[in-house]
């Protein structure tokens, strides 16, 4: 009976967290589609066009460790609710910035919004923490699958709201508030126990000791570089397409397809990890990223942008879910807050660097240079995964 209740409770939480993920990525994909273009319209210099995107990610980098430690004290439900409130405030500031035509106020608004994104990235960990070892990869995958809704809904919302309100981009930023409020409602129904006093009192091993594990290093590299490369290419895509003469509708469609590519594989990634193992899935993710870059380097037609961004999304999915799954094997329950926080902080730092440099790179060197810069980073991930796989094989052989 207890197992049945536990399973039903876990499935309920996973479903609700997947719905919260859908709301989060509806907003995120809207921001992806418009932030670079809004920045380009308001920036005092074209090289600063993606600074609002960078501030959004920087807000996540600043907020991710405090968010993890905060939820360790007050629990997931209260923490996620506070995090969503940051998104509400950030959207209002962004809308005010557009109304006032202030580039720096837009940067502040996206910085505040980034704190909401920092909290939202823990939806996958909340599902994993409450799941059994066998169900953990599936729980992570199903929560991330909620982003599929965002991939379809977000860019289409931006397409229909971008010119509402009398000022370009104003309606799109205001629409973010609706989805933040919907997330707050969904969070009221999540039932995840608050950490006990004993769990809060125990801190486990020092973070440096946890981070020194080869498994931890590979997990963080896969997540951070995989996310950084994806963000580097994705952020520059609307600007590159505009430079190539493609209309905004095509860019919005490609960003929508890309986000679908990011999350649609989630329905099979978990079972795939369970069937063939996490390391082969991670390596496939790195290879898909290389193929995506190859297609991008082959030309600038809409079809080439589409195939490149879709495959980039699938590669990210394998690296992100695989990296998250591998990371959950590196810490004890009392260590999860600092281990998860360190992992996501590395991801956000890499994303902040990639989003800022993408604007400088695409405006100064074009789409080809963006892809050439990304290629060696993907190679680092592939080498790290291969090294760890060989290390594991040698360790098993020695044990026999």
């Amino acid at each position: 009976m207890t197992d049945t209740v536990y399973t039903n409770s876990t499935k309920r939480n996973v479903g609700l967290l997947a719905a919260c993920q859908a709301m989060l990525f509806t907003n995120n994909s809207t921001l992806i589609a418009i932030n670079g273009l809004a920045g380009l319209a308001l920036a005092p210099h074209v090289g600063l066009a993606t600074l609002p995107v960078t501030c959004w990610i920087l807000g996540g980098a600043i907020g991710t460790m405090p968010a993890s430690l905060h939820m360790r004290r007050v629990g997931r439900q209260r923490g996620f609710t506070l995090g969503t409130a940051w998104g509400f405030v950030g959207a209002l500031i962004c809308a005010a910035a557009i109304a006032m035509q202030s580039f720096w106020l837009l940067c502040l608004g996206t910085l505040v919004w980034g704190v909401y994104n920092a909290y939202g990235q823990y939806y996958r960990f909340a599902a994993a923490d409450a799941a059994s070892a066998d169900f953990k990869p599936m729980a992570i995958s199903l929560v991330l699958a909620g982003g599929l809704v965002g991939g379809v809904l977000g860019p289409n919302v931006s397409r229909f709201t971008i010119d509402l309100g009398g000022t370009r981009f104003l309606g799109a930023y205001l629409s973010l508030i609706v989805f933040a409020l919907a997330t707050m409602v969904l969070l009221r129904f999540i039932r995840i126990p608050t950490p006990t006093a004993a769990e809060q009192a125990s801190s486990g091993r020092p973070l440096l000791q946890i981070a020194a594990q080869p498994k931890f290093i590979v997990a963080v590299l896969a997540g951070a570089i995989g996310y950084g490369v994806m963000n580097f290419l994705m952020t520059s895509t609307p600007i590159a397409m505009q430079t190539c003469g493609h209309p905004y509708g095509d860019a919005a469609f490609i960003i929508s397809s890309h986000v679908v590519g990011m999350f649609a594989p989630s329905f099979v990634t978990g079972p795939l990890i369970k069937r063939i193992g996490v390391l082969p899935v991670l390596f496939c993710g790195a290879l898909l990223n290389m193929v995506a870059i190859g297609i991008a380097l082959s030309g600038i037609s809409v079809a080439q942008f589409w195939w490149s961004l879709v495959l980039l999304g699938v590669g990210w999915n394998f690296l992100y879910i695989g990296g998250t799954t591998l990371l959950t094997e590196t810490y004890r329950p009392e260590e999860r807050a600092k281990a998860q926080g360190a992992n996501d902080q590395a991801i956000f730092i890499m994303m902040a660097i990639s989003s800022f440099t993408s604007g400088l790179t695409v405006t100064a060197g074009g789409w080809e240079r963006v892809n050439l810069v990304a290629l060696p980073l993907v190679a680092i991930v592939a080498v790290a995964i291969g090294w760890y796989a060989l290390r594991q094989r040698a360790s098993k052989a020695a044990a026999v």
Side-chain angles (χ1 to χ4, degrees), residues 123-176:
Y123 292 150
R124 72 195 197 279
F125 283 124
D129 292 344
S132 64
D134 284 345
F135 189 60
K136 203 179 293 284
M138 180 63 77
I140 295 168
S141 292
L142 290 175
V143 169
L144 287 179
L148 182 60
V149 175
V152 174
L153 193 57
N156 286 296
V157 168
S158 72
R159 187 184 301 174
F160 292 112
T161 60
I162 193 170
D163 291 316
L164 292 180
T167 303
R168 190 167 176 81
F169 305 114
L170 178 61
Y173 281 111
L174 287 174
S175 71
L176 306 179

Side-chain angles (χ1 to χ4, degrees), residues 26 142 156 165 201 203 236 244 368:
T26 297
L142 290 175
N156 286 296
S203 61
S236 58
C244 293
E368 181 179 2

Side-chain angles (χ1 to χ4, degrees), residues 93-98 100 102-110:
I93 295 173
C94 288
I98 294 300
M100 298 168 62
S102 170
F103 176 75
W104 299 110
L105 188 60
L106 179 64
C107 291
L108 174 63
T110 57

Side-chain angles (χ1 to χ4, degrees), residues 12 16 19-20 23 77 80-81 84-85 116 123 177-191:
R12 169 194 173 93
L16 288 167
C20 291
M23 297 299 99
Q77 186 184 55
F80 286 145
T81 302
T84 307
Y116 167 37
Y123 292 150
I177 296 172
V178 177
F179 298 104
L181 290 174
T183 304
M184 287 185 171
V185 173
L186 289 168
L187 288 169
R188 302 305 302 166
F189 299 97
I190 288 177
R191 298 292 180 265

Side-chain angles (χ1 to χ4, degrees), residues 272 276 279-289 314-315 318-319 385:
L272 197 60
I276 67 173
L279 294 180
V281 170
L282 285 171
F283 196 73
C284 285
L287 289 180
L288 283 168
N289 276 0
V314 178
F318 285 3
L319 288 170
I385 296 165

Side-chain angles (χ1 to χ4, degrees), residues 50-390:
T50 57
L51 185 58
V53 183
T54 305
C55 288
W56 168 45
I57 297 165
L58 186 60
I62 295 169
T64 187
M65 184 62 83
S68 187
L69 297 176
H70 176 236
M71 286 187 283
R72 186 173 187 262
R73 292 194 308 273
V74 304
R76 295 293 193 186
Q77 186 184 55
R78 288 176 60 188
F80 286 145
T81 302
L82 176 63
T84 307
W86 283 89
F88 182 90
V89 174
L92 285 176
I93 295 173
C94 288
I98 294 300
M100 298 168 62
Q101 294 291 284
S102 170
F103 176 75
W104 299 110
L105 188 60
L106 179 64
C107 291
L108 174 63
T110 57
L111 183 77
V112 173
W113 180 272
V115 180
Y116 167 37
N117 196 31
Y119 275 90
Q121 295 304 313
Y122 289 100
Y123 292 150
R124 72 195 197 279
F125 283 124
D129 292 344
S132 64
D134 284 345
F135 189 60
K136 203 179 293 284
M138 180 63 77
I140 295 168
S141 292
L142 290 175
V143 169
L144 287 179
L148 182 60
V149 175
V152 174
L153 193 57
N156 286 296
V157 168
S158 72
R159 187 184 301 174
F160 292 112
T161 60
I162 193 170
D163 291 316
L164 292 180
T167 303
R168 190 167 176 81
F169 305 114
L170 178 61
Y173 281 111
L174 287 174
S175 71
L176 306 179
I177 296 172
V178 177
F179 298 104
L181 290 174
T183 304
M184 287 185 171
V185 173
L186 289 168
L187 288 169
R188 302 305 302 166
F189 299 97
I190 288 177
R191 298 292 180 265
I192 299 176
T194 302
T196 64
E199 289 172 334
Q200 294 182 39
S202 177
S203 61
R205 295 168 293 172
L207 179 58
L208 286 178
Q209 185 178 341
I210 299 169
Q213 301 171 90
K215 185 182 290 189
F216 185 93
I217 293 169
V218 172
V220 173
L221 277 176
I225 294 182
Y227 222 132
V229 166
M230 184 276 293
N231 188 64
F232 186 66
L233 297 174
M234 175 184 63
T235 301
S236 58
T237 294
I239 296 173
M241 291 189 68
Q242 180 172 283
T243 303
C244 293
H246 301 305
Y248 174 75
D250 285 343
F253 170 70
I254 284 171
I255 292 297
S256 176
S257 300
H258 166 69
V259 179
V260 171
M262 289 172 65
F263 296 107
S266 297
F267 294 105
V268 299
T269 307
L272 197 60
I273 290 172
K274 190 174 180 180
R275 183 178 180 85
I276 67 173
V278 66
L279 294 180
V281 170
L282 285 171
F283 196 73
C284 285
L287 289 180
L288 283 168
N289 276 0
M290 289 182 180
V291 173
I293 291 171
I295 293 172
L297 290 171
S298 69
I300 56 172
S301 69
V302 172
Q304 285 161 317
F305 275 106
W306 188 89
W307 277 108
S308 176
L309 268 290
V310 169
L311 291 177
L312 180 71
V314 178
W316 171 87
N317 181 278
F318 285 3
L319 288 170
Y320 193 57
I321 292 177
T324 300
T325 302
L326 194 63
L327 187 84
T328 61
E329 301 172 5
T330 67
Y331 55 78
R332 302 164 187 162
E334 66 271 17
E335 299 165 348
R336 63 168 63 113
K338 55 188 172 185
Q340 293 171 0
N343 176 75
D344 278 21
Q345 192 148 49
I347 289 173
F348 275 113
I349 289 171
M350 191 67 185
M351 288 174 65
I353 294 170
S354 66
S355 62
F356 181 68
T357 55
S358 71
L360 296 174
T361 306
V362 73
T363 54
W367 179 237
E368 181 179 2
R369 185 174 297 178
V370 170
N371 285 275
L372 288 174
V373 170
L375 189 57
L377 296 174
V378 178
I380 289 172
V381 177
V383 169
I385 296 165
W387 165 79
Y388 184 67
L390 291 174

Side-chain angles (χ1 to χ4, degrees), residues 1-13 130 191 193:
M1 179 67 177
T2 303
D3 290 342
T4 302
V5 172
Y6 175 79
T7 301
N8 289 340
S9 175
T10 300
K11 290 179 178 178
R12 169 194 173 93
N13 286 330
R191 298 292 180 265

